[in-house]
Amino acid sequence: MIDVRKDFPILEKEVYGKRLVYLDSAATTQKPSCVINAISEFYRSGNSNIHRGVHYLSEVSSERYEKAREKVSDFIGARNSSEVVFTAGTTDSINQVACSLRPVLAGNEVLITGVEHHSNIVPWQMAGATLKAIQMDDDCNVLIDSMEITDRTKLVAINHASNVLGSVNDIKEITEIAKDHDVPVLVDAAQSVQHVPIDVKDVDCDFLAFSGHKMYAGTGVGVLYVSERFNDLLPARGGGGMVDKVTLEKTTYLDPPQRYEAGTPNIAGAISMGVAVDYVQNIGMDKIKEHEHEVYSYARERLLEMDGVTVYGNTDEMCGAISFNIEGVHHYDAGLIMDKMGIAVRTGHHCAQPLMRSLGIEGTVRASFALYSTKEDADMLVEGIEKVRVLHA
Ligand code: PMP
């Protein structure tokens, strides 16, 4: 087991006079001191715009920004750091792909799963595509064998791990099937990149989207991995920093990654992502996976043992989130009672209304875990649920 709680100052906080039991890491993870310090230090002594100045500060900022890109590139196993595009987050990354691919997607189909976050649903609809979902079993696991790709399927867009159920999809197998049909694949890794090692070369996907704030970095920054196969995609955004030549008649674009990064980016955010990558890599993603698996499995087993508690999802590989409901108690009420005990959980549909419909429910209570989560946190969750049940008896 790893013990990194001292690295996260907020975990020492008390709420309502109780120890904070933070079980909302799928919404956003807490930040280690090194990330907090890097953001503060940037604004204190490094602040400057990048790529556009000849002066010292701008050079240093540009270097740090590009170094962060290299770290992220190494983290996800990209062939080249030019495949790593800094965005505002997963939602922004997916929207940019939807915008760039709009000419091919409009009037055609995108194949998704029935377990997607709205961020991997709405942008495709806005691009004019019709959504088809791969069939699921009773536990809402994707039935890969039933994947149907037709002439109209122009993209497969799937999550790696569900933000609701914690179920992990076999993205390599799904990509292989899509590739057999020459259909590109986008992976929404918002809920996996912080929990399990990912190698984009191995998965062979074309796009991978994730958020900095869910992997211990700051908010408002994320990544879109764009395979070099898509070096000449029409940029979703135009403006400064992405052009080669501009005339009133015509503009030509730079090569990636600048091609896909119009305007001033979230420089401090990107730098914080580099620091977060260093932080998790120093611990080791395999160790993180192992630690979280132990805490996650323990929490799940304890919840499964409880009378009157329904736990959703069930498959071999799970991580991050556990969703459940308590018999006779609205999920929102359960969340409120637990909050007063210092337990931070999330309630509602978790931006996954189609999944809620498949489950025949309106929402769940979701407890979610990160590398600082412990079995004591899981015990506190169980205590919280017991208290909810007593109060509602
Ligand atoms: N996809 C999934 C699976 C998510 O869990 C989330 C965040 N809840 C998103 C996309 C969107 O991430 P962000 O809000 O950071 O853009």
Side-chain angles (χ1 to χ4, degrees):
M1 301 290 281
I2 50 180
D3 180 9
V4 292
R5 291 182 71 84
K6 61 178 183 334
D7 297 342
F8 294 80
I10 209 168
L11 297 179
E12 280 159 31
K13 197 176 161 62
E14 292 198 338
V15 290
Y16 311 114
K18 311 262 168 34
R19 170 174 94 82
L20 169 66
V21 179
Y22 188 73
L23 290 171
D24 196 20
S25 293
T28 198
T29 56
Q30 295 303 346
K31 319 301 173 203
S33 297
C34 56
V35 165
I36 299 167
N37 294 343
I39 294 171
S40 159
E41 201 270 328
F42 173 76
Y43 287 117
R44 268 176 203 286
S45 65
N47 183 43
S48 172
N49 211 334
I50 55 166
H51 298 325
R52 271 159 236 166
V54 284
H55 61 83
Y56 173 81
L57 281 181
S58 180
E59 289 261 308
V60 174
S61 284
S62 306
E63 237 170 68
R64 286 187 184 171
Y65 182 81
E66 290 308 324
K67 191 84 206 144
R69 193 193 306 281
E70 279 167 30
K71 287 175 186 194
V72 173
S73 168
D74 173 64
F75 180 57
I76 58 169
R79 278 177 199 84
N80 197 310
S81 65
S82 63
E83 294 174 309
V84 171
V85 176
F86 282 118
T87 65
T90 310
T91 307
D92 185 36
S93 297
I94 298 176
N95 273 277
Q96 288 201 39
V97 177
C99 194
S100 293
L101 295 183
R102 187 192 294 254
V104 268
L105 297 183
N108 283 307
E109 291 172 5
V110 174
L111 186 64
I112 61 170
T113 76
V115 198
E116 299 303 333
H117 187 281
H118 296 164
S119 297
N120 198 24
I121 295 176
V122 184
W124 312 122
Q125 290 171 331
M126 290 170 75
T130 302
L131 294 175
K132 291 275 147 92
I134 309 171
Q135 279 178 26
M136 302 188 291
D137 68 13
D138 292 345
D139 286 316
C140 295
N141 295 316
V142 177
L143 295 168
I144 297 181
D145 290 344
S146 72
M147 225 172 121
E148 233 180 278
I149 293 182
T150 70
D151 287 349
R152 293 187 61 206
T153 315
K154 299 299 172 196
L155 182 75
V156 173
I158 39 146
N159 70 81
H160 190 192
S162 157
N163 66 312
V164 180
L165 307 174
S167 45
V168 176
N169 283 318
D170 190 336
I171 47 173
K172 191 171 171 181
E173 201 184 331
I174 293 174
T175 304
E176 254 171 44
I177 296 171
K179 290 279 137 121
D180 282 347
H181 294 79
D182 275 336
V183 174
V185 176
L186 175 139
V187 175
D188 172 354
Q191 297 293 348
S192 61
V193 79
Q194 64 282 48
H195 300 303
V196 294
I198 293 182
D199 186 310
V200 286
K201 281 195 298 304
D202 182 46
V203 176
D204 203 24
C205 55
D206 300 279
F207 306 99
L208 185 96
F210 54 100
S211 300
H213 72 98
K214 293 185 198 283
M215 51 161 292
Y216 312 105
T219 51
V221 69
V223 161
L224 174 64
Y225 158 82
V226 183
S227 148
E228 30 187 40
R229 292 188 281 270
F230 283 90
N231 268 356
D232 57 355
L233 210 58
L234 188 69
R237 302 211 173 107
M242 49 81 75
V243 294
D244 175 27
K245 263 210 175 78
V246 181
T247 65
L248 293 189
E249 290 72 39
K250 187 179 156 57
T251 292
T252 52
Y253 311 122
L254 291 173
D255 289 333
Q258 280 76 27
R259 182 184 186 89
Y260 306 126
E261 288 183 7
T264 300
N266 182 345
I267 306 165
I271 290 171
S272 81
M273 263 187 112
V275 175
V277 162
D278 278 346
Y279 179 76
V280 294
Q281 284 193 323
N282 280 338
I283 298 168
M285 281 309 294
D286 286 327
K287 267 202 188 143
I288 291 172
K289 183 179 171 185
E290 196 183 317
H291 168 88
E292 289 189 8
H293 178 71
E294 207 165 320
V295 174
Y296 183 94
S297 313
Y298 175 77
R300 212 179 126 78
E301 271 161 35
R302 289 223 56 194
L303 294 195
L304 284 169
E305 279 164 9
M306 296 184 86
D307 284 337
V309 175
T310 307
V311 181
Y312 302 99
N314 179 26
T315 186
D316 292 343
E317 205 187 337
M318 303 186 85
C319 68
I322 303 179
S323 264
F324 59 93
N325 268 313
I326 306 166
E327 201 181 325
V329 187
H330 193 275
H331 46 86
Y332 181 71
D333 294 336
L336 276 185
I337 294 169
M338 286 197 245
D339 173 51
K340 295 293 177 291
M341 298 173 71
I343 305 167
V345 288
R346 187 148 289 242
T347 65
H349 55 60
H350 315 293
C351 299
Q353 288 179 8
L355 171 60
M356 293 299 132
R357 209 157 301 127
S358 301
L359 291 168
I361 54 176
E362 271 178 27
T364 72
V365 182
R366 181 186 74 183
S368 55
F369 302 83
L371 60 84
Y372 43 70
S373 304
T374 61
K375 288 186 179 173
E376 289 74 48
D377 291 338
D379 290 336
M380 280 304 297
L381 176 66
V382 171
E383 231 177 84
I385 297 171
E386 274 161 1
K387 173 124 184 222
V388 171
R389 299 202 66 201
V390 169
L391 289 176
H392 274 263

